[in-house]
Amino acid sequence: MSWRWALARRLATLAGTSTAPGAGAQPQRLLSSSGALLGTRFPPASHEVPSSPSHFPPSLGCRRSGFWWRLAAWWVTTYYSTVDPVERQDPFELVADELSILANRLRSMVAAEVPKLASAAEYFFKLGAEGKRFRPTVLLLMASALKFPISESTEGGVFSMLASTMRTRQQNIAEITEMIHVASLLHDDVLDDADTRRGVTSLNCIMGNKLSVLAGDFLLSRACVALAALGNTEVVSLMATAVEHLVTGETMQISTSREQRRSMEYYLQKTYYKTASLISNSCKAVAVLTGHTADVSLLAYEYGRNLGLAFQLIDDVLDFTGTSASLGKGSLSDIRHGIITAPMLYAMEEFPQLHDVIDQGFDNPANVELALDYLQKSRGIERTKELAQEHVNLAIKAIEALPDSDDEDVLISRRALIDITQRVITRTK
């Protein structure tokens, strides 16, 4: 927290104590609520300290008199017209220590008796190959944003023990999610005959398809064991649904009809199953495990769902605009495998002649070049980015709708979750 923010809070408090009883309640509320966190601004103010009570913003609900009130009103309105009350911090840095703990625990969780299986299972958990750890970061931040509501009257030792136990269980959700995700990558690489993943040679190219499939199965079994240990049937159901959706989505991708390949609705449903379901159900699992209501759990789910959809939409854009080096995998991989994504679907709306090109398939490199030429002439890339932005906006609204909190850690974590949506929309790899 910056010294300016601390001073603003202090001045508001002093202003409240120097005026009528309860006068400080409203400004304090405005300073600490999620409304302030998410962009609420006080009325524009002059950058000179007002001298007349009539210049003070009436919305603060305090008596317009006294030196401290004048100074507080000027400071708050000036400061909040330009700066968020909760300082922005790197979302990944906020949970960096926990991510290191998770990484070490994951490496121990995927150990196996058979050396080759152990080597295969830990391939993407080794130092330098863990990837962005995007999902664990989101889940740890979501856990902080939904801090477990334990009464402060609880004795210190008991409170600390309960909070620590809950945090460990929330970390378990992040570990389970990452194992499921990596298992799906191993299986996908076999199905796609991929040769790179996360900037390194894919496991199937090193150890073969059979061992890659078995390694993925092994990770899923480890995830199931960890899931069962949580002892929460609703959480088990949520995570099992996510695994089911991964399989459903992959099946939809490899068995599309001519009409389905041209359908944006079909594409978005497949995208939800393949990408968004895991993070959305995991976010909901964190909320359920924490003991929140169904409404709050649904907001966590909606954040994950829209974040996941936006992530994949940008991924589909980068498949056309990125390079193999920046993506950690081959560019144009989707179209070369005959997978039609949002940019091309939008291009087809502008250039119906693209239908014939797509129906012919992309075994012929000339068809790839022709399709790319139409895409370049169209607004396919721009419209896909616009759709991603729509989902980002919905994700932000879900965070805005969470119950108000005055807890600084909660507010910082919610700010970080919003910042992550912006990183998703602007990323280049």
Side-chain angles (χ1 to χ4, degrees):
M1 180 185 295
S2 75
W3 65 270
R4 290 173 297 180
W5 166 232
L7 179 58
R9 289 177 66 100
R10 178 60 179 157
L11 290 176
T13 302
L14 288 170
T17 57
S18 66
T19 56
Q26 180 67 8
Q28 181 67 18
R29 173 64 173 161
L30 288 170
L31 287 170
S32 58
S33 73
S34 62
L37 163 72
L38 297 168
T40 298
R41 291 288 182 268
F42 288 84
S46 166
H47 288 275
E48 295 181 358
V49 179
S51 58
S52 168
S54 65
H55 293 159
F56 302 141
S59 61
L60 292 178
C62 297
R63 195 175 65 185
R64 300 171 179 177
S65 63
F67 168 76
W68 283 114
W69 164 238
R70 288 199 302 272
L71 185 56
W74 167 78
W75 182 272
V76 170
T77 53
T78 300
Y79 182 62
Y80 274 96
S81 66
T82 57
V83 182
D84 267 334
V86 177
E87 288 188 63
R88 295 189 177 188
Q89 300 183 38
D90 186 307
F92 294 87
E93 287 298 320
L94 284 173
V95 293
D97 292 340
E98 279 188 282
L99 287 175
S100 295
I101 294 171
L102 260 64
N104 291 331
R105 227 158 40 202
L106 280 166
R107 282 189 282 272
S108 65
M109 290 171 73
V110 301
E113 295 179 9
V114 180
K116 273 197 171 184
L117 180 59
S119 180
E122 69 178 7
Y123 186 72
F124 286 123
F125 294 110
K126 294 185 295 186
L127 289 173
E130 310 105 314
K132 296 179 288 291
R133 294 185 289 190
F134 174 78
R135 289 159 188 81
T137 297
V138 169
L139 294 173
L140 292 174
L141 289 172
M142 181 61 75
S144 297
L146 301 172
K147 186 175 285 187
F148 188 56
I150 301 176
S151 172
E152 292 293 343
S153 62
T154 308
E155 293 186 16
V158 176
F159 176 83
S160 177
M161 182 179 66
L162 289 174
S164 177
T165 300
M166 177 55 64
R167 191 64 181 186
T168 300
R169 287 163 64 80
Q170 292 165 337
Q171 290 172 352
N172 293 154
I173 295 292
E175 293 160 357
I176 290 164
T177 300
E178 189 67 0
M179 284 191 284
I180 293 172
H181 172 60
V182 172
S184 73
L185 297 183
L186 294 175
H187 289 165
D188 282 356
D189 285 347
V190 171
L191 292 170
D192 298 340
D193 196 26
D195 52 14
T196 58
R197 170 71 68 176
R198 292 181 173 176
V200 298
T201 306
S202 61
L203 182 64
N204 51 298
C205 280
I206 296 175
M207 296 188 171
N209 288 342
K210 291 182 180 179
L211 200 53
S212 290
V213 172
L214 291 173
D217 292 345
F218 178 74
L219 291 178
L220 288 175
S221 68
R222 289 291 190 181
C224 289
V225 171
L227 194 53
L230 291 175
N232 187 305
T233 54
E234 186 175 358
V235 169
V236 171
S237 178
L238 287 169
M239 300 309 293
T241 298
V243 174
E244 176 191 348
H245 286 171
L246 285 168
V247 177
T248 302
E250 192 61 43
T251 304
M252 289 175 69
Q253 181 165 287
I254 65 176
S255 60
T256 55
S257 67
R258 181 170 174 267
E259 290 72 22
Q260 289 168 340
R261 292 177 68 186
R262 299 178 177 185
S263 168
M264 179 63 78
E265 182 181 356
Y266 186 88
Y267 159 81
L268 289 173
Q269 185 65 50
K270 178 201 70 175
T271 298
Y272 167 73
Y273 284 149
K274 277 180 61 66
T275 304
S277 176
L278 179 58
I279 189 65
S280 61
N281 280 294
S282 296
C283 284
K284 186 176 181 180
V286 167
V288 169
L289 199 63
T290 308
H292 278 286
T293 63
D295 288 342
V296 173
S297 298
L298 182 59
L299 289 172
Y301 169 88
E302 284 299 323
Y303 173 83
R305 175 181 177 275
N306 287 291
L307 181 70
L309 289 172
F311 186 95
Q312 187 57 51
L313 285 164
I314 296 300
D315 217 44
D316 293 341
V317 167
L318 293 175
D319 191 57
F320 291 105
T321 63
T323 64
S324 297
S326 67
L327 298 176
K329 60 182 180 180
S331 58
L332 300 178
S333 60
D334 286 337
I335 193 170
R336 295 187 192 282
H337 285 90
I339 300 170
I340 307 304
T341 57
M344 198 60 71
L345 288 169
Y346 281 132
M348 289 167 63
E349 291 181 9
E350 294 181 52
F351 298 99
Q353 52 268 51
L354 246 180
H355 291 166
D356 293 334
V357 178
I358 288 172
D359 289 344
Q360 292 172 22
F362 297 102
D363 293 334
N364 184 349
N367 281 352
V368 174
E369 294 302 320
L370 186 56
L372 293 177
D373 184 53
Y374 280 120
L375 177 63
Q376 189 174 15
K377 295 175 183 176
S378 75
R379 291 192 65 251
I381 296 294
E382 290 78 10
R383 291 181 69 186
T384 302
K385 290 180 178 180
E386 290 167 3
L387 181 58
Q389 183 64 59
E390 289 178 20
H391 284 290
V392 159
N393 293 342
L394 290 172
I396 292 173
K397 284 184 179 180
I399 297 299
E400 289 177 340
L402 291 173
D404 287 346
S405 174
D406 294 329
D407 187 292
E408 184 180 353
D409 289 338
V410 170
L411 297 180
I412 288 173
S413 297
R414 292 181 184 181
R415 175 74 263 177
L417 288 171
I418 291 174
D419 286 347
I420 280 181
T421 66
Q422 302 308 309
R423 289 182 177 227
V424 163
I425 210 76
T426 58
R427 69 192 179 97
T428 57
K429 60 181 181 179

